Amino acid sequence: MFNPFVYKRPNNLEQVFTLLDQNEDVKIIAGGTDLLVKLREADRSPELLVDIKDLEKLKGIKKNKNEIKIGALTTITEIKESKLIKDEFDALYQAASQFGCYEIRNRATIGGNVVHASPGAEFGVVLFALNAEVEVVGKRDVKRMPIKEFLYDVGSVKLNNELLKSIIIKNKPDLKSSYHRISRVKGMDLALVNAALVKDDKAQYTSYFGAVARTPYNNNKVDELLSQSNLNKALFVKIQKIVDESISPRATSLRASPEYKKKMVVSLLKKCLRDIGEIGDDIDG
Amino acid sequence: MAKTINTIINNEKHEIEVPYQMSLLELLREELNMTGTKEGCGNGECGACTVLLDDLPVRSCIILAHEIDQKEVVTIEGLKNTGDYEKIKEVFMAEDAVQCGFCTPGFVMAVKALLNRTKYPNDQDIKEALGGHLCRCTGYEAIHKAVKRLV
């Protein structure tokens, strides 16, 4: 048994906002794969859990003109099995494929993954690299903002009696993307370090790394070097130097030392580049 | 606090009063006496508590009993006397894919769900289906081989 709480599953947004207004100590539950694990370890539960799984408006993957909208309640399995996602955003497909295990993917939602804002979360780096936006729905209106603004610290997103409604990604032709991670075991483990790389239609690179800082980490200098240089061994020595000097992963991490993480950042970057066909096997690591 | 839920478990309707803070796993094992579903880690990591919820395999230890209100659940008990169950049992025996047996109900549910979604699973499909299940005795190879015999 969990520590006591009251559970409600409203089927429309109005009811959700009324419950949020009337209760101070309330948590939203969607897939529950993060929340219920946390509640099992906690000394007490919130007074009220509001299950939003029945909100149809927050579900599904849609294409509108030049953007793709992923409802916050879309499960990881639905993302992995979406042809639209696989065709347009390899990195999203790869992140969904490496997420948890099959049973967890059937339950976990992309919205839950984003709002929990764990430093090594699969979707954080991918959505930052794709410059995604989010839609936040409140009692009165729907706001749209960049995910970089929305997710601002470990476990912290800008929600104030509001819900994450959807994630929006602009799809450009010829966009290439890739996601890789290092974990102790394949599947069912969190990433020690993860990386997402996007090369846009103008051959500009954007790279983001997870679990090396409080939020997905980007270094402009690295992206500029990638976009403007020949991708050879010497370049990666240069990039390693920049990474070594600019990030300081916390030394108290249970999973990996700062030195190891710094090396893995560059290794994952190479893996992503290899994935999208920009470098070959002659560049090792 | 408790409230009544309406659910179908193994083809049987249940109207039952359940405390809000009870997990689906606890409902199955402690209220309905269906002890075939096992509790391993209690955190959704080991797969021993796998059941089908509206046809999809899920982890019953990290689902609330109230979440199955108006939904349908199938447990290992519900597979009894079905053709797939007999087939899965045979191949697991043939490959010695069971030793202590604690993880087995979870594996069997995962395999059943795999067969539900594809008649001819390839190696990758099998790995995906079994990937989140821990077995401390047999070492996976035997289980993988057993499932391959089904194809």
Side-chain angles (χ1 to χ4, degrees):
Chain A
M1 291 272 220
F2 293 88
N3 291 312
F5 51 77
V6 172
Y7 168 92
K8 296 213 159 111
R9 194 164 89 204
N11 57 18
N12 65 63
L13 278 167
E14 291 70 38
Q15 287 174 8
V16 173
F17 293 127
T18 306
L19 287 169
L20 288 177
D21 276 351
Q22 290 169 349
N23 296 276
E24 294 266 297
D25 191 15
V26 49
K27 279 264 182 218
I28 300 287
I29 177 169
T33 54
D34 239 332
L35 182 71
L36 291 178
V37 172
K38 281 179 186 158
L39 289 192
R40 210 181 276 290
E41 285 164 11
D43 296 333
R44 56 178 294 280
S45 298
E47 276 167 28
L48 174 66
L49 289 193
V50 177
D51 188 342
I52 57 170
K53 263 193 293 296
D54 286 349
L55 299 180
E56 294 300 323
K57 281 182 183 166
L58 273 61
K59 290 180 187 172
I61 303 168
K62 287 174 210 97
K63 187 174 182 173
N64 302 327
K65 284 180 200 156
N66 62 343
E67 55 186 37
I68 283 179
K69 207 182 241 197
I70 306 172
L73 288 174
T74 307
T75 65
I76 311 306
T77 294
E78 286 162 352
I79 292 174
K80 185 171 178 250
E81 288 174 359
S82 156
K83 194 176 176 302
L84 203 57
I85 299 283
K86 201 177 178 185
D87 287 350
E88 314 255 353
F89 305 110
D90 278 333
L92 264 181
Y93 169 76
Q94 289 166 316
S97 305
Q98 293 179 52
F99 188 107
C101 67
Y102 185 68
E103 287 88 350
I104 297 290
R105 293 198 285 271
N106 283 336
R107 224 39 207 169
T109 63
I110 188 165
N113 189 251
V114 169
V115 301
H116 278 271
S118 301
E122 316 292 349
F123 290 100
V125 282
V126 177
L127 296 174
F128 271 57
L130 286 166
N131 205 12
E133 293 184 294
V134 295
E135 267 185 333
V136 169
V137 58
K139 211 162 48 175
R140 277 172 208 88
D141 55 3
V142 178
K143 281 185 277 189
R144 192 164 159 160
M145 68 179 98
I147 192 161
K148 290 167 202 169
E149 225 172 87
F150 178 69
L151 193 169
Y152 63 91
D153 199 356
V154 180
S156 304
V157 290
K158 278 190 187 163
L159 285 178
N160 184 16
N161 281 0
E162 295 160 315
L163 297 180
L164 175 61
K165 182 170 184 282
S166 59
I167 291 147
I168 299 161
I169 312 168
K170 292 225 158 58
N171 58 328
K172 297 177 187 152
D174 302 324
L175 182 138
K176 287 185 195 171
S177 66
S178 172
Y179 170 83
H180 278 280
R181 73 171 198 181
I182 307 249
S183 54
R184 289 166 299 181
V185 292
K186 262 191 194 169
M188 280 320 274
D189 195 7
L190 297 173
L192 304 176
V193 189
N194 59 5
L197 180 75
V198 170
K199 185 185 183 193
D200 71 12
D201 49 340
K202 295 183 188 75
Q204 296 298 305
Y205 286 97
T206 310
S207 61
Y208 271 88
F209 304 95
V212 297
R214 297 185 67 86
T215 56
Y217 174 81
N218 164 263
N219 189 312
N220 254 332
K221 277 189 257 172
V222 172
D223 291 350
E224 272 168 30
L225 277 174
L226 288 172
S227 305
Q228 291 160 11
S229 325
N230 285 325
L231 305 178
N232 56 28
K233 283 184 186 173
L235 178 75
F236 292 105
V237 174
K238 222 189 256 179
I239 289 176
Q240 183 71 62
K241 195 156 178 277
I242 295 172
V243 168
D244 288 347
E245 284 165 4
S246 60
I247 63 169
S248 45
R250 66 192 172 99
T252 51
S253 164
L254 295 172
R255 296 196 172 80
S257 67
E259 294 71 28
Y260 180 74
K261 285 189 174 187
K262 287 174 180 178
K263 291 271 177 296
M264 289 309 108
V265 160
V266 181
S267 170
L268 287 174
L269 180 63
K270 289 178 192 166
K271 274 192 182 181
C272 288
L273 285 163
R274 223 170 272 135
D275 221 22
I276 61 172
E278 298 296 332
I279 62 172
D281 290 334
D282 53 316
I283 296 178
D284 59 358
Chain B
M1 263 203 280
K3 209 179 150 193
T4 302
I5 62 169
N6 286 286
T7 177
I8 298 173
I9 300 174
N10 300 333
N11 282 321
E12 202 180 305
K13 276 189 188 167
H14 290 266
E15 192 176 329
I16 179 171
E17 195 175 281
V18 182
Y20 288 123
Q21 66 266 33
M22 180 177 269
S23 71
L24 171 55
L25 177 64
E26 288 159 342
L27 171 68
L28 296 171
R29 289 182 57 88
E30 284 157 36
E31 298 294 315
L32 304 174
N33 221 6
M34 296 180 184
T35 52
T37 307
K38 305 300 181 199
E39 176 165 23
C41 68
N43 270 329
E45 291 177 8
C46 76
C49 69
T50 300
V51 299
L52 305 187
L53 173 53
D54 287 351
D55 295 329
L56 287 177
V58 294
R59 302 277 149 105
S60 63
C61 71
I62 49 168
I63 289 176
L64 299 172
H66 272 269
E67 289 183 82
I68 67 158
D69 187 25
Q70 312 299 330
K71 314 239 181 253
E72 186 168 352
V73 170
V74 178
T75 72
I76 187 79
E77 286 87 353
L79 298 194
K80 223 175 179 178
N81 301 325
T82 63
D84 276 352
Y85 177 70
E86 291 304 319
K87 273 192 259 167
I88 297 168
K89 196 167 83 179
E90 264 170 41
V91 295
F92 268 58
M93 289 193 319
E95 291 291 345
D96 285 334
V98 176
Q99 193 175 316
C100 86
F102 191 84
C103 68
T104 311
F107 272 100
V108 171
M109 295 312 289
V111 175
K112 170 66 180 158
L114 174 67
L115 294 178
N116 285 352
R117 59 183 185 275
T118 163
K119 270 248 152 354
Y120 304 101
N122 61 29
D123 264 4
Q124 192 51 41
D125 297 332
I126 297 171
K127 279 185 185 165
E128 177 178 54
L130 305 183
H133 291 257
L134 298 183
C135 169
R136 305 308 300 268
C137 307
T138 66
Y140 309 108
E141 198 59 37
I143 300 170
H144 188 94
K145 275 189 194 154
V147 182
K148 280 196 80 153
R149 274 183 181 242
L150 289 168
V151 184

